[in-house]
Amino acid sequence: MKSLKVPTYYYQQFDADFSKDVPAEGFGGWKKADLEINPEHTALVVMHAWDCGTREKYPGWHKTVEYFPRASDICRNVFPELLRTVRNSKLKLFHVAVPGEYLNKYPGYEAAVKLTNEENKLKNGCECKFHKIIDREEEINKLWTFWSDNVVPGAHNKEDVQLGFKNLDFPDGAKPQDNEGIAVNADQLFALCKKEGVNHLIYVGFAINGCLLVSTGGIVDMVRRGMMCSTIRQAVTAIENKETARNELAKELGLWFVSIISGFVYDIDDFIKALKTYSEE
């Protein structure tokens, strides 16, 4: 099978120029090249694309996860054409979700569980700091309580966050179809990759500097297993703070970080055009 040529962004993290006040300003920065990928060994991964309800239904959750409107816009306006194009191509399509009863109706999740002969140990929730997974002494419990009350999500928002997680589902723009593989942890995703011969994962979803990087089944986990991990600029957003949100600076840093630790960054129009052209040949 011939390779698929895609315009690809990469970040040139060299050479520092020590004649400058800030040596890093000598780096080459963002560049673009036409690079080839093998569609039979590549998969798009839709990670943690959630239907998080409305602001009216879970006001506390929306108050602490400010990127929900941007994520909803991506689900409505970016994912449909992207996923349709991938489904009509030779690329595989995987989903990384969080545990919950909503997964039981999808045959792709049952297949991933069977591949690893295990259920995810965490039920009805996200593998995150709000769930007890190891024994904790009184002092650390106090620290975690202070953290969750004063950092994220805030004491007054906890109930909404917990309720939201209990009612998670896939959004309309990113619901798995047919037997598309669904994993809830790194072992299950890696098992899907081995079964399908995939060695390059292109991540989309939420958020590029959060779950996509560090949650189980995210980029860090899969790089440790030898996978190349890339992303698509317009199909991700980021966790922003007060100082970065206006210009989405955290997203820019997230894209840069992916490009220097694990792979490449694609533009949505370039990616879709290349896939469609390839499929028509």
Side-chain angles (χ1 to χ4, degrees), residues 132-138 140-141 144:
K132 182 178 178 181
I133 56 175
I134 59 173
D135 292 334
R136 295 174 175 170
E137 78 280 5
E138 182 179 357
I140 200 68
N141 277 330
W144 276 119

Side-chain angles (χ1 to χ4, degrees), residues 11 15-17 20-29:
Y11 193 92
D15 280 330
D17 184 348
K20 295 181 179 291
D21 292 342
V22 180
E25 291 180 353
F27 288 163

Side-chain angles (χ1 to χ4, degrees), residues 220-234:
V220 171
D221 273 351
M222 303 314 289
V223 167
R224 288 172 175 161
R225 289 164 169 79
M227 308 291 291
M228 172 166 275
C229 298
S230 300
T231 191
I232 299 176
R233 171 179 285 275
Q234 293 83 1

